[in-house]
Amino acid sequence: VEPRGNKNTAPQSLTAFPLIHLNRINKLEQLLSGPLRPESVRQVISLSSDAVHRCRSILYDVEEREQKVSAIWTMDCNYIVGHLLLPSLKATTNLLPDSNYSASNALKDILGDAPPVLPPRQIHEVIASCMDATRQLHQHHKDVIYVGMDSLPTLKTITLETRRSHVKQVEEVVGSVLRKTMDFFTAGCEKIIFNKKAKDDYFVREDSPLAMEASKMVKTLCAFIKEEHDVVVSCLPNMDMSVLWKAVGLTTLMLFNDHLKRTKITVTGAFVLANDVNMLTRTLGAFNSSPVDLALEDLREVCNLFIVPPSNLSSLMETGRMVNMARSDLREFVCQRADFSQGSVKATWVKDLFGVDEPITSHEKELKLGRYKDCFDSELRKYGTTPSARGNAKYV
């Protein structure tokens, strides 16, 4: 808007009037009840529609008129994206605890029963509000801005590219926020799995009633995962997060396999393990990820290593999905059988199974928090972000 008075005074830019001051945002509710409330974007679009209508009513030269409309559209995008959505997403990122910070407080989680906290639901609500705003921009462009530009293909292209570039900025930052949120969530899964009290979950006596149900650790883990998955699906029903859920699922199963390699497992304990695998299958199956489903099938077959008698181990490892598993991994699992050794003395069947040239020493691993990150990041590096014209992106 040109200022009144001195003609040499430069016009004021919207950048002089920031809508969101990051240093004043200390709660996500401030964003949801303030700049991201539904009427905020609607009011901007309503003012834009009114301005476009006035332009097209007053100006008769088509090219001059549509250039003004294009300028209004650019201002709309700059304001909504640059001064509303991106600052809101940046503030959201700042309010999410870093996973490394969370891990530094892990001692009380490992030694106690309290599970780690889930990412705040409001994070997903902020993302939903931002994506809804981009959809409103898209619809405004289609219903109002595009109309009247049929004879000016260059201007149509300019307004289209303006929309695409601004929406892409939002989608990229949304992807970054989601990645950090799921990183924080996966760190919570790790803390549950590495709880020291879970170390004896599968060292169960034959007459124990515990064999009829899943372990406490897996019950806690599955409840934790289900709650977060339900929140995400509820807040972001149209968003394709398959890549992120796949990374979470595979990382969780990698951590669970590490857990198995540090605990002794009796035959009765193997039935507890089978119940755990069934519960994990029901929970992680909600991700609809084929790689996660296959990893669960591998884990289901591993259960048999702790059930069959020693004489059947060799043939078992040469059948089914175990044929494609690394022999070193199979050795580590077998070493956790309760009958593998008595004290420092290995069972007589161990040498016959592994041979004299292969290491057969069983040692307990000390699991350290933060192992999840390499696997989680590795899965995400395999994919890129694929934006959609409707704002449905495959986020990493």
Side-chain angles (χ1 to χ4, degrees), residues 1-65:
V1 177
E2 293 287 349
R4 296 178 180 178
N6 189 349
K7 294 184 178 179
N8 295 324
T9 303
Q12 291 278 15
S13 166
L14 280 174
T15 56
F17 306 102
L19 183 62
I20 298 172
H21 296 270
L22 296 180
N23 60 336
R24 298 181 186 176
I25 301 295
N26 50 41
K27 291 182 179 179
L28 292 167
E29 289 80 358
Q30 289 176 268
L31 297 172
L32 294 168
S33 62
L36 289 183
R37 64 189 189 280
E39 57 266 28
S40 294
V41 174
R42 286 201 297 265
Q43 287 173 354
V44 175
I45 290 178
S46 176
L47 287 171
S48 172
S49 298
D50 184 61
V52 169
H53 174 73
R54 289 173 183 270
C55 269
R56 287 175 172 160
S57 299
I58 297 171
L59 300 175
Y60 291 97
D61 183 83
V62 175
E63 186 168 356
E64 178 188 6
R65 181 184 70 203

Side-chain angles (χ1 to χ4, degrees), residues 47-310:
L47 287 171
S48 172
S49 298
D50 184 61
V52 169
H53 174 73
R54 289 173 183 270
C55 269
R56 287 175 172 160
S57 299
I58 297 171
L59 300 175
Y60 291 97
D61 183 83
V62 175
E63 186 168 356
E64 178 188 6
R65 181 184 70 203
E66 297 308 317
Q67 284 177 348
K68 297 292 185 184
V69 171
S70 178
I72 293 171
W73 170 241
T74 300
M75 186 172 66
D76 294 340
C77 291
N78 287 340
Y79 180 75
I80 291 176
V81 172
H83 299 278
L84 188 70
L85 305 185
L86 295 184
S88 294
L89 291 168
K90 186 174 182 180
T92 300
T93 302
N94 293 342
L95 291 173
L96 178 68
D98 186 79
S99 59
N100 292 328
Y101 169 80
S102 178
S104 69
N105 291 327
L107 188 59
K108 63 180 180 181
D109 295 316
I110 293 178
L111 298 178
D113 292 324
V117 297
L118 287 162
R121 179 189 180 95
Q122 291 87 345
I123 289 178
H124 305 297
E125 292 176 347
V126 166
I127 291 172
S129 295
C130 291
M131 296 307 295
D132 182 63
T134 63
R135 284 189 285 271
Q136 289 186 60
L137 266 179
H138 171 82
Q139 199 63 39
H140 177 55
H141 179 256
K142 177 182 176 183
D143 296 343
V144 177
I145 304 299
Y146 239 29
V147 177
M149 291 188 176
D150 290 337
S151 61
L152 300 167
T154 301
L155 267 182
K156 287 182 69 173
T157 301
I158 290 173
T159 60
L160 180 61
E161 288 304 315
T162 299
R163 188 198 82 202
R164 286 175 175 168
S165 64
H166 282 79
V167 170
K168 183 178 180 181
Q169 290 180 61
V170 176
E171 290 180 335
E172 287 176 348
V173 179
V174 164
S176 177
V177 174
L178 281 173
R179 176 171 179 156
K180 187 173 181 181
T181 302
M182 300 307 280
D183 182 285
F184 177 81
F185 167 66
T186 309
C189 293
E190 180 182 64
K191 281 189 271 184
I192 294 173
I193 295 171
F194 286 4
N195 190 315
K196 287 184 177 179
K197 290 189 175 182
K199 189 175 179 181
D200 296 324
D201 281 350
Y202 307 122
F203 196 69
V204 182
R205 298 191 311 270
E206 290 185 11
D207 58 346
S208 174
L210 297 177
M212 303 304 294
E213 56 184 280
S215 66
K216 182 177 179 180
M217 181 272 284
V218 168
K219 288 179 181 177
T220 303
L221 175 66
C222 289
F224 187 75
I225 293 172
K226 184 179 185 303
E227 186 173 351
E228 176 65 8
H229 186 263
D230 288 349
V231 166
V232 173
V233 171
S234 172
C235 295
L236 305 170
N238 299 316
M239 187 169 291
D240 181 1
M241 290 181 56
S242 56
V243 172
L244 277 170
W245 286 124
K246 174 189 171 186
V248 170
L250 292 179
T251 302
T252 299
L253 292 175
M254 181 273 291
L255 296 171
F256 187 78
N257 282 332
D258 284 350
H259 166 63
L260 290 185
K261 295 173 184 177
R262 65 160 182 163
T263 179
K264 287 295 181 181
I265 304 175
T266 64
V267 173
T268 306
F271 289 98
V272 178
L273 175 58
N275 293 332
D276 282 354
V277 174
N278 288 336
M279 179 167 279
L280 285 168
T281 299
R282 289 193 296 271
T283 302
L284 299 182
F287 296 174
N288 293 318
S289 170
S290 295
V292 173
D293 294 341
L294 291 175
L296 285 163
E297 287 298 319
D298 288 346
L299 184 57
R300 190 179 301 280
E301 294 210 11
V302 165
C303 292
N304 294 325
L305 291 174
F306 308 105
I307 296 175
V308 301

